[in-house]
Amino acid sequence: MRLRALLDTDALGLRLLGGEGELDRTVRGVMTTDLRDPSRYLSGGELVLTGLAWRRDAADSEPFVRILVQAGVSALAAGEAELGNVPDDLVVACARHRLPLFAVHESVAFATITEHVVRQVSGERAGDLAAVVDRHRRMMTSGPAGGGPDVVLDLLGSDLDLRAWVLSPAGRLIAGPKAAGPAPAAEVCARLAAEHLAAVRGGRQGPHRLTLGSTVYSLFPVRGWGHRPAAGAGRSPQAARDVRETVLSDWLLAVEADAGDWPGERLDLLQGVTQLIAVERDRRDAARTVRRRLAQEVLELVQTGAAPAEIAARLRVAAPVLLPGLGAAPHWQVVVARVEWQGGEVEGGPVAQSLLEEILVDPRATGPEPSDRIAVAHTGDEAVALVPLPAVSAEHDGSEAGILADALLESVRDPLSAGLDDDGRVTLGVSAAVHSAEGLRGALEEARHARRVAAARPGRVCAAGHQELASHVLLLPFVPDDVRRAFTARLLDPLREYDRRHRAELIPTLEAFLDCDGSWTRCATRLHLHVNTLRYRVGRIEQLTGRDLSRLEDKLDFFLALRMS
């Protein structure tokens, strides 16, 4: 805004004392100070408000004004409440340095002037930025021009002092301003994503607000259009808009500010920013078409029992796309995911496909699209990812570095659980690495079998890896529930009842004894018991159950009962 506009606002109570020829100067901010040297807090373009507490005598005015001019301020406004009229020495100093000077009537609070200037400047900046956002959106709609969402996020920071980041539904950082300092920590991003997904599933309208520590975040949904299923034959528009179809794939814009009291113009501006980001979301989704097609072709060959030579030829075509520039024959892992919704109205395959493309992103990857090394196909409610790994070992025993099932979901479990709410479930299985086309059929079956093991576990988000398929753990989930209950009750209920009546801790003692491989000394040390006390407890366990803990068969029965309970 211009200085001249301040004089035209009667409510501000400003009276011009000098600098009439400088009234076309632009005001970019406002600062109140009574420091003798406020230069460290000035960046130029401010209207400086002062109560004159810094002035002890007439000689103080000249150095104070000189400091303001050197800092590039636009004007000075002095309050009349402290000294009455503004001192002549200050008027003279401002005239000498051509610094516009206003007197502020004693009835006007500095807060009134500050609020007015901030509101006007913010509105002008928002209008200018809205035009930039609109132009940027038009550019990106016709192609990947304009620099991507990072450019607009930089503008939000420089023009509106808003720090903002684009996050995936699982909390991965997708874009952020380059000059805004460090992005929120990974655990903060995960919390923001979880809150956003919970709000979406709860039907709340955005923006959603969340306070973490002393920082308030406002979360704006980014809803793309190109990747949304359209209403087709036999499908109502309401069904096409089911939130479950996109809740695990839509991005969000996290702004470090409280949008609760924002004016409508600023909210409209942020909605424009989300529309721009949605264009980028759809563009990246379209760019995955080639990788998805490659995955679908390989998957069909593997499932139909095609000759290994044919599969290998297709992999040679896929490798340059999925591993650009590496020039090494990769190993491959297969990851299978299934998303299931209660009622079955929503097809889970596309959701699982988007989800795998998200969680399989390598955080170490560089380039404009870090998911350019992931190929995911889907059939029905299942998605299958073909993940290439650089060849790292001459031994193909499954020991190569690669994806671990538990680590894959560790950081995204909370956000995904919020998005699934109480009517959805994600299960995931991971194969060992294989080094040839011959091994892909076995890897696919291995991943599917691991996913079935995960599906037998409780919880909304579960995963299992190939390592677990060589363990007794594989067998336990497939024992019928009534058999499990009867088996565990027969062995453990007498001990639980005894513990309840006597507080004897027989169950914890049994667990520790088995965990120590039946070693009396190690178990007594772990439980901080005398060996004789431990022998008494084990004897009581044997008496109550009729079993002998020196026999391998009875030890194994107890071990399985504890694992199934």
Side-chain angles (χ1 to χ4, degrees):
M1 67 178 301
R2 306 285 183 180
L3 287 174
R4 193 178 304 278
L6 294 174
L7 285 175
D8 295 337
T9 306
D10 296 337
L12 300 183
L14 295 178
R15 180 164 50 90
L16 183 65
L17 300 181
E20 186 174 357
E22 306 292 335
L23 291 181
D24 286 329
R25 291 187 181 185
T26 299
V27 178
R28 293 196 293 269
V30 62
M31 176 192 174
T32 300
T33 184
D34 277 312
L35 296 174
R36 296 172 66 86
D37 180 5
S39 58
R40 74 186 70 177
Y41 305 108
L42 298 170
S43 57
E46 295 93 349
L47 170 66
V48 174
L49 306 175
T50 180
L52 300 176
W54 51 267
R55 182 182 179 278
R56 299 171 185 170
D57 55 46
D60 290 337
S61 294
E62 172 67 23
F64 181 77
V65 171
R66 186 167 58 249
I67 288 170
L68 299 186
V69 171
Q70 290 172 349
V73 304
S74 295
L76 174 65
E80 295 180 325
E82 184 72 20
L83 302 178
N85 292 331
V86 176
D88 291 340
D89 49 271
L90 182 58
V91 176
V92 171
C94 287
R96 181 181 299 115
H97 291 281
R98 300 180 61 185
L99 179 66
L101 176 64
F102 299 95
V104 182
H105 193 273
E106 62 181 6
S107 63
V108 178
F110 282 176
T112 301
I113 300 174
T114 299
E115 181 180 352
H116 176 81
V117 172
V118 169
R119 186 167 58 248
Q120 294 299 315
V121 171
S122 177
E124 291 175 2
R125 287 180 177 175
D128 293 342
L129 186 54
V132 172
V133 169
D134 184 63
R135 183 176 68 254
H136 204 76
R137 182 170 63 249
R138 291 198 301 271
M139 292 172 66
M140 291 190 66
T141 302
S142 59
D150 292 345
V151 173
V152 175
L153 298 182
D154 278 327
L155 289 174
L156 284 177
S158 61
D159 283 28
L160 294 184
D161 297 324
L162 291 177
R163 284 160 43 93
W165 300 268
V166 180
L167 304 178
S168 78
R172 177 173 65 91
L173 181 65
I174 294 172
K178 294 181 174 59
E187 55 269 23
V188 173
C189 292
R191 286 282 305 279
L192 295 176
E195 171 64 22
H196 168 73
L197 292 177
V200 171
R201 289 306 314 273
R204 289 183 276 151
Q205 295 296 315
H208 318 299
R209 286 177 288 166
L210 177 64
T211 301
L212 297 178
S214 60
T215 304
V216 180
Y217 295 91
S218 296
L219 310 176
F220 293 80
V222 176
R223 297 190 173 97
W225 298 102
H227 64 291
R228 286 181 181 273
R235 187 175 186 182
S236 68
Q238 182 177 4
R241 292 192 297 267
D242 194 312
V243 69
R244 294 175 294 180
E245 294 178 349
T246 57
V247 68
L248 297 182
S249 59
D250 281 343
W251 293 351
L252 66 137
L253 178 68
V255 182
E256 193 179 278
D258 187 348
D261 56 355
W262 281 5
E265 294 83 359
R266 179 166 288 203
L267 288 172
D268 290 343
L269 170 61
L270 267 294
Q271 293 298 336
V273 172
T274 63
Q275 292 172 17
L276 169 62
I277 296 168
V279 172
E280 175 68 7
R281 170 70 177 87
D282 292 338
R283 186 187 68 79
R284 294 192 186 189
D285 194 59
R288 291 174 173 167
T289 302
V290 174
R291 294 189 293 278
R292 288 175 172 175
R293 186 172 65 247
L294 287 172
Q296 196 72 44
E297 291 174 353
V298 173
L299 177 61
E300 289 175 0
L301 289 174
V302 171
Q303 291 187 130
T304 56
E310 186 178 357
I311 299 175
R314 195 57 54 92
L315 288 177
R316 283 195 293 272
V317 174
V321 177
L322 301 178
L323 290 172
L326 288 188
H331 293 169
W332 304 89
Q333 274 184 284
V334 175
V335 181
V336 172
R338 193 175 183 91
V339 175
E340 296 171 291
W341 303 103
Q342 289 180 9
E345 302 94 347
V346 179
E347 185 181 1
V351 181
Q353 182 180 46
S354 296
L355 185 60
L356 276 185
E357 288 173 337
E358 162 59 32
I359 65 177
L360 287 172
V361 169
D362 185 349
R364 300 164 298 179
T366 58
E369 177 49 63
S371 62
D372 60 0
R373 297 180 182 178
I374 302 164
V376 187
H378 77 83
T379 55
D381 288 335
E382 180 185 77
V384 179
L386 186 65
V387 183
L389 304 169
V392 295
S393 171
E395 298 297 328
H396 310 299
D397 58 359
S399 62
E400 294 90 347
I403 297 169
L404 299 177
D406 289 338
L408 198 60
L409 294 180
E410 182 177 358
S411 63
V412 300
R413 193 178 304 275
D414 289 344
L416 293 185
S417 297
L420 294 165
D421 199 17
D422 59 355
D423 62 346
R425 193 155 190 254
V426 170
T427 52
L428 185 145
V430 181
S431 77
V434 295
H435 69 286
S436 66
E438 290 89 343
L440 278 180
R441 179 69 178 268
L444 176 60
E445 292 306 316
E446 189 175 57
R448 283 175 169 164
H449 206 51
R451 192 208 62 79
R452 288 193 290 269
V453 171
R457 295 171 175 168
R460 290 287 171 194
V461 183
C462 297
H466 62 91
Q467 302 92 337
E468 299 176 59
L469 302 187
S471 167
H472 65 278
V473 178
L474 170 65
L475 303 177
L476 297 185
F478 302 103
V479 176
D481 287 344
D482 54 345
V483 176
R484 291 158 65 102
R485 285 192 294 268
F487 181 73
T488 57
R490 185 167 61 252
L491 281 176
L492 301 182
D493 279 2
L495 306 183
R496 290 173 177 145
E497 177 62 19
Y498 191 88
D499 281 347
R500 186 184 65 79
R501 288 187 287 110
H502 300 283
R503 298 181 181 178
E505 297 189 353
L506 296 185
I507 291 288
T509 301
L510 175 61
E511 291 175 330
F513 186 72
L514 295 175
D515 196 40
C516 292
D517 298 323
S519 169
W520 298 98
T521 303
R522 282 194 289 128
C523 184
T525 301
R526 174 181 294 190
L527 296 176
H528 306 289
L529 297 175
H530 192 277
V531 172
N532 288 342
T533 303
L534 176 61
R535 290 184 184 277
Y536 172 80
R537 288 188 182 180
V538 170
R540 179 63 67 184
I541 291 171
E542 293 174 335
Q543 179 185 9
L544 291 170
T545 61
R547 299 298 185 105
D548 182 354
L549 277 168
S550 66
R551 298 178 67 245
L552 177 61
E553 294 86 347
D554 288 342
K555 285 181 182 177
L556 182 58
D557 281 350
F558 277 122
F559 178 78
L560 293 175
L562 288 169
R563 294 300 294 265
M564 287 192 293
S565 64

PDB file of all heavy atoms in Angstrom, residues 425-447:
ATOM      1  N   ARG A 425      -9.152 -52.516   5.569  1.00  0.00           N
ATOM      2  CA  ARG A 425      -8.001 -53.278   6.039  1.00  0.00           C
ATOM      3  C   ARG A 425      -6.980 -53.365   4.918  1.00  0.00           C
ATOM      4  O   ARG A 425      -7.323 -53.521   3.741  1.00  0.00           O
ATOM      5  CB  ARG A 425      -8.423 -54.685   6.457  1.00  0.00           C
ATOM      6  CG  ARG A 425      -7.356 -55.435   7.244  1.00  0.00           C
ATOM      7  CD  ARG A 425      -7.986 -56.494   8.136  1.00  0.00           C
ATOM      8  NE  ARG A 425      -6.975 -57.016   9.047  1.00  0.00           N
ATOM      9  CZ  ARG A 425      -6.411 -58.224   8.930  1.00  0.00           C
ATOM     10  NH1 ARG A 425      -6.765 -59.036   7.949  1.00  0.00           N
ATOM     11  NH2 ARG A 425      -5.493 -58.628   9.786  1.00  0.00           N
ATOM     12  N   VAL A 426      -5.683 -53.254   5.288  1.00  0.00           N
ATOM     13  CA  VAL A 426      -4.578 -53.412   4.349  1.00  0.00           C
ATOM     14  C   VAL A 426      -3.708 -54.560   4.824  1.00  0.00           C
ATOM     15  O   VAL A 426      -3.286 -54.587   5.990  1.00  0.00           O
ATOM     16  CB  VAL A 426      -3.721 -52.136   4.253  1.00  0.00           C
ATOM     17  CG1 VAL A 426      -2.438 -52.406   3.468  1.00  0.00           C
ATOM     18  CG2 VAL A 426      -4.489 -51.017   3.586  1.00  0.00           C
ATOM     19  N   THR A 427      -3.460 -55.521   3.941  1.00  0.00           N
ATOM     20  CA  THR A 427      -2.525 -56.601   4.250  1.00  0.00           C
ATOM     21  C   THR A 427      -1.502 -56.677   3.138  1.00  0.00           C
ATOM     22  O   THR A 427      -1.808 -56.432   1.968  1.00  0.00           O
ATOM     23  CB  THR A 427      -3.260 -57.949   4.388  1.00  0.00           C
ATOM     24  OG1 THR A 427      -4.072 -58.174   3.228  1.00  0.00           O
ATOM     25  CG2 THR A 427      -4.130 -57.954   5.623  1.00  0.00           C
ATOM     26  N   LEU A 428      -0.278 -57.035   3.503  1.00  0.00           N
ATOM     27  CA  LEU A 428       0.836 -56.924   2.563  1.00  0.00           C
ATOM     28  C   LEU A 428       1.815 -58.070   2.770  1.00  0.00           C
ATOM     29  O   LEU A 428       2.075 -58.478   3.912  1.00  0.00           O
ATOM     30  CB  LEU A 428       1.516 -55.567   2.786  1.00  0.00           C
ATOM     31  CG  LEU A 428       2.645 -55.124   1.875  1.00  0.00           C
ATOM     32  CD1 LEU A 428       2.575 -53.612   1.672  1.00  0.00           C
ATOM     33  CD2 LEU A 428       3.981 -55.463   2.513  1.00  0.00           C
ATOM     34  N   GLY A 429       2.321 -58.608   1.678  1.00  0.00           N
ATOM     35  CA  GLY A 429       3.315 -59.679   1.736  1.00  0.00           C
ATOM     36  C   GLY A 429       4.496 -59.364   0.837  1.00  0.00           C
ATOM     37  O   GLY A 429       4.327 -58.780  -0.236  1.00  0.00           O
ATOM     38  N   VAL A 430       5.693 -59.760   1.269  1.00  0.00           N
ATOM     39  CA  VAL A 430       6.928 -59.446   0.547  1.00  0.00           C
ATOM     40  C   VAL A 430       7.697 -60.737   0.289  1.00  0.00           C
ATOM     41  O   VAL A 430       7.896 -61.550   1.194  1.00  0.00           O
ATOM     42  CB  VAL A 430       7.810 -58.467   1.351  1.00  0.00           C
ATOM     43  CG1 VAL A 430       9.083 -58.128   0.580  1.00  0.00           C
ATOM     44  CG2 VAL A 430       7.034 -57.194   1.677  1.00  0.00           C
ATOM     45  N   SER A 431       8.152 -60.907  -0.954  1.00  0.00           N
ATOM     46  CA  SER A 431       8.934 -62.090  -1.310  1.00  0.00           C
ATOM     47  C   SER A 431      10.411 -61.847  -1.041  1.00  0.00           C
ATOM     48  O   SER A 431      10.846 -60.721  -0.788  1.00  0.00           O
ATOM     49  CB  SER A 431       8.747 -62.410  -2.794  1.00  0.00           C
ATOM     50  OG  SER A 431       9.525 -61.526  -3.600  1.00  0.00           O
ATOM     51  N   ALA A 432      11.184 -62.911  -1.132  1.00  0.00           N
ATOM     52  CA  ALA A 432      12.639 -62.773  -1.148  1.00  0.00           C
ATOM     53  C   ALA A 432      13.062 -62.252  -2.515  1.00  0.00           C
ATOM     54  O   ALA A 432      12.296 -62.267  -3.478  1.00  0.00           O
ATOM     55  CB  ALA A 432      13.297 -64.125  -0.868  1.00  0.00           C
ATOM     56  N   ALA A 433      14.303 -61.776  -2.606  1.00  0.00           N
ATOM     57  CA  ALA A 433      14.828 -61.309  -3.887  1.00  0.00           C
ATOM     58  C   ALA A 433      15.168 -62.501  -4.770  1.00  0.00           C
ATOM     59  O   ALA A 433      15.688 -63.513  -4.306  1.00  0.00           O
ATOM     60  CB  ALA A 433      16.065 -60.442  -3.654  1.00  0.00           C
ATOM     61  N   VAL A 434      14.833 -62.369  -6.056  1.00  0.00           N
ATOM     62  CA  VAL A 434      15.208 -63.399  -7.036  1.00  0.00           C
ATOM     63  C   VAL A 434      16.026 -62.721  -8.130  1.00  0.00           C
ATOM     64  O   VAL A 434      15.912 -61.517  -8.360  1.00  0.00           O
ATOM     65  CB  VAL A 434      13.966 -64.084  -7.641  1.00  0.00           C
ATOM     66  CG1 VAL A 434      13.211 -64.844  -6.566  1.00  0.00           C
ATOM     67  CG2 VAL A 434      13.045 -63.071  -8.319  1.00  0.00           C
ATOM     68  N   HIS A 435      16.856 -63.511  -8.818  1.00  0.00           N
ATOM     69  CA  HIS A 435      17.803 -62.921  -9.764  1.00  0.00           C
ATOM     70  C   HIS A 435      17.510 -63.272 -11.200  1.00  0.00           C
ATOM     71  O   HIS A 435      18.285 -62.921 -12.091  1.00  0.00           O
ATOM     72  CB  HIS A 435      19.226 -63.376  -9.413  1.00  0.00           C
ATOM     73  CG  HIS A 435      19.463 -64.840  -9.675  1.00  0.00           C
ATOM     74  ND1 HIS A 435      18.949 -65.820  -8.870  1.00  0.00           N
ATOM     75  CD2 HIS A 435      20.131 -65.474 -10.675  1.00  0.00           C
ATOM     76  CE1 HIS A 435      19.312 -67.004  -9.329  1.00  0.00           C
ATOM     77  NE2 HIS A 435      20.021 -66.835 -10.433  1.00  0.00           N
ATOM     78  N   SER A 436      16.388 -63.959 -11.473  1.00  0.00           N
ATOM     79  CA  SER A 436      16.124 -64.353 -12.849  1.00  0.00           C
ATOM     80  C   SER A 436      14.628 -64.463 -13.070  1.00  0.00           C
ATOM     81  O   SER A 436      13.824 -64.494 -12.125  1.00  0.00           O
ATOM     82  CB  SER A 436      16.789 -65.695 -13.162  1.00  0.00           C
ATOM     83  OG  SER A 436      16.187 -66.738 -12.397  1.00  0.00           O
ATOM     84  N   ALA A 437      14.259 -64.551 -14.348  1.00  0.00           N
ATOM     85  CA  ALA A 437      12.850 -64.689 -14.692  1.00  0.00           C
ATOM     86  C   ALA A 437      12.263 -65.980 -14.158  1.00  0.00           C
ATOM     87  O   ALA A 437      11.076 -66.050 -13.822  1.00  0.00           O
ATOM     88  CB  ALA A 437      12.693 -64.617 -16.210  1.00  0.00           C
ATOM     89  N   GLU A 438      13.113 -67.020 -14.063  1.00  0.00           N
ATOM     90  CA  GLU A 438      12.620 -68.297 -13.562  1.00  0.00           C
ATOM     91  C   GLU A 438      12.080 -68.186 -12.139  1.00  0.00           C
ATOM     92  O   GLU A 438      11.204 -68.946 -11.730  1.00  0.00           O
ATOM     93  CB  GLU A 438      13.726 -69.358 -13.598  1.00  0.00           C
ATOM     94  CG  GLU A 438      14.117 -69.789 -15.010  1.00  0.00           C
ATOM     95  CD  GLU A 438      15.214 -68.913 -15.591  1.00  0.00           C
ATOM     96  OE1 GLU A 438      15.429 -67.794 -15.044  1.00  0.00           O
ATOM     97  OE2 GLU A 438      15.853 -69.315 -16.570  1.00  0.00           O
ATOM     98  N   GLY A 439      12.633 -67.245 -11.371  1.00  0.00           N
ATOM     99  CA  GLY A 439      12.243 -67.143  -9.972  1.00  0.00           C
ATOM    100  C   GLY A 439      11.030 -66.290  -9.716  1.00  0.00           C
ATOM    101  O   GLY A 439      10.515 -66.265  -8.591  1.00  0.00           O
ATOM    102  N   LEU A 440      10.521 -65.574 -10.739  1.00  0.00           N
ATOM    103  CA  LEU A 440       9.423 -64.638 -10.488  1.00  0.00           C
ATOM    104  C   LEU A 440       8.128 -65.349 -10.124  1.00  0.00           C
ATOM    105  O   LEU A 440       7.361 -64.849  -9.291  1.00  0.00           O
ATOM    106  CB  LEU A 440       9.204 -63.746 -11.707  1.00  0.00           C
ATOM    107  CG  LEU A 440      10.147 -62.549 -11.830  1.00  0.00           C
ATOM    108  CD1 LEU A 440       9.834 -61.751 -13.084  1.00  0.00           C
ATOM    109  CD2 LEU A 440      10.051 -61.646 -10.601  1.00  0.00           C
ATOM    110  N   ARG A 441       7.844 -66.485 -10.738  1.00  0.00           N
ATOM    111  CA  ARG A 441       6.608 -67.210 -10.415  1.00  0.00           C
ATOM    112  C   ARG A 441       6.613 -67.617  -8.941  1.00  0.00           C
ATOM    113  O   ARG A 441       5.620 -67.423  -8.215  1.00  0.00           O
ATOM    114  CB  ARG A 441       6.481 -68.453 -11.312  1.00  0.00           C
ATOM    115  CG  ARG A 441       5.226 -69.291 -11.046  1.00  0.00           C
ATOM    116  CD  ARG A 441       3.973 -68.549 -11.477  1.00  0.00           C
ATOM    117  NE  ARG A 441       2.785 -69.356 -11.272  1.00  0.00           N
ATOM    118  CZ  ARG A 441       2.263 -70.159 -12.197  1.00  0.00           C
ATOM    119  NH1 ARG A 441       2.863 -70.280 -13.372  1.00  0.00           N
ATOM    120  NH2 ARG A 441       1.163 -70.827 -11.949  1.00  0.00           N
ATOM    121  N   GLY A 442       7.733 -68.153  -8.488  1.00  0.00           N
ATOM    122  CA  GLY A 442       7.834 -68.525  -7.078  1.00  0.00           C
ATOM    123  C   GLY A 442       7.779 -67.318  -6.167  1.00  0.00           C
ATOM    124  O   GLY A 442       7.185 -67.364  -5.082  1.00  0.00           O
ATOM    125  N   ALA A 443       8.391 -66.189  -6.594  1.00  0.00           N
ATOM    126  CA  ALA A 443       8.370 -64.975  -5.772  1.00  0.00           C
ATOM    127  C   ALA A 443       6.950 -64.441  -5.627  1.00  0.00           C
ATOM    128  O   ALA A 443       6.556 -63.971  -4.552  1.00  0.00           O
ATOM    129  CB  ALA A 443       9.281 -63.916  -6.383  1.00  0.00           C
ATOM    130  N   LEU A 444       6.172 -64.504  -6.715  1.00  0.00           N
ATOM    131  CA  LEU A 444       4.786 -64.040  -6.649  1.00  0.00           C
ATOM    132  C   LEU A 444       3.976 -64.900  -5.680  1.00  0.00           C
ATOM    133  O   LEU A 444       3.230 -64.374  -4.840  1.00  0.00           O
ATOM    134  CB  LEU A 444       4.166 -64.077  -8.044  1.00  0.00           C
ATOM    135  CG  LEU A 444       2.683 -63.700  -8.135  1.00  0.00           C
ATOM    136  CD1 LEU A 444       2.454 -62.284  -7.626  1.00  0.00           C
ATOM    137  CD2 LEU A 444       2.183 -63.841  -9.571  1.00  0.00           C
ATOM    138  N   GLU A 445       4.116 -66.209  -5.768  1.00  0.00           N
ATOM    139  CA  GLU A 445       3.381 -67.082  -4.859  1.00  0.00           C
ATOM    140  C   GLU A 445       3.841 -66.890  -3.419  1.00  0.00           C
ATOM    141  O   GLU A 445       3.048 -66.939  -2.477  1.00  0.00           O
ATOM    142  CB  GLU A 445       3.551 -68.545  -5.289  1.00  0.00           C
ATOM    143  CG  GLU A 445       2.873 -68.870  -6.615  1.00  0.00           C
ATOM    144  CD  GLU A 445       1.406 -68.492  -6.613  1.00  0.00           C
ATOM    145  OE1 GLU A 445       0.714 -68.768  -5.604  1.00  0.00           O
ATOM    146  OE2 GLU A 445       0.940 -67.901  -7.603  1.00  0.00           O
ATOM    147  N   GLU A 446       5.158 -66.670  -3.259  1.00  0.00           N
ATOM    148  CA  GLU A 446       5.690 -66.446  -1.919  1.00  0.00           C
ATOM    149  C   GLU A 446       5.112 -65.175  -1.313  1.00  0.00           C
ATOM    150  O   GLU A 446       4.720 -65.145  -0.134  1.00  0.00           O
ATOM    151  CB  GLU A 446       7.215 -66.354  -2.003  1.00  0.00           C
ATOM    152  CG  GLU A 446       7.917 -66.336  -0.650  1.00  0.00           C
ATOM    153  CD  GLU A 446       9.424 -66.378  -0.817  1.00  0.00           C
ATOM    154  OE1 GLU A 446       9.982 -65.499  -1.500  1.00  0.00           O
ATOM    155  OE2 GLU A 446      10.046 -67.295  -0.256  1.00  0.00           O
ATOM    156  N   ALA A 447       5.062 -64.106  -2.107  1.00  0.00           N
ATOM    157  CA  ALA A 447       4.505 -62.846  -1.605  1.00  0.00           C
ATOM    158  C   ALA A 447       3.025 -62.992  -1.275  1.00  0.00           C
ATOM    159  O   ALA A 447       2.537 -62.462  -0.270  1.00  0.00           O
ATOM    160  CB  ALA A 447       4.728 -61.733  -2.629  1.00  0.00           C
TER     161      ALA A 447
END
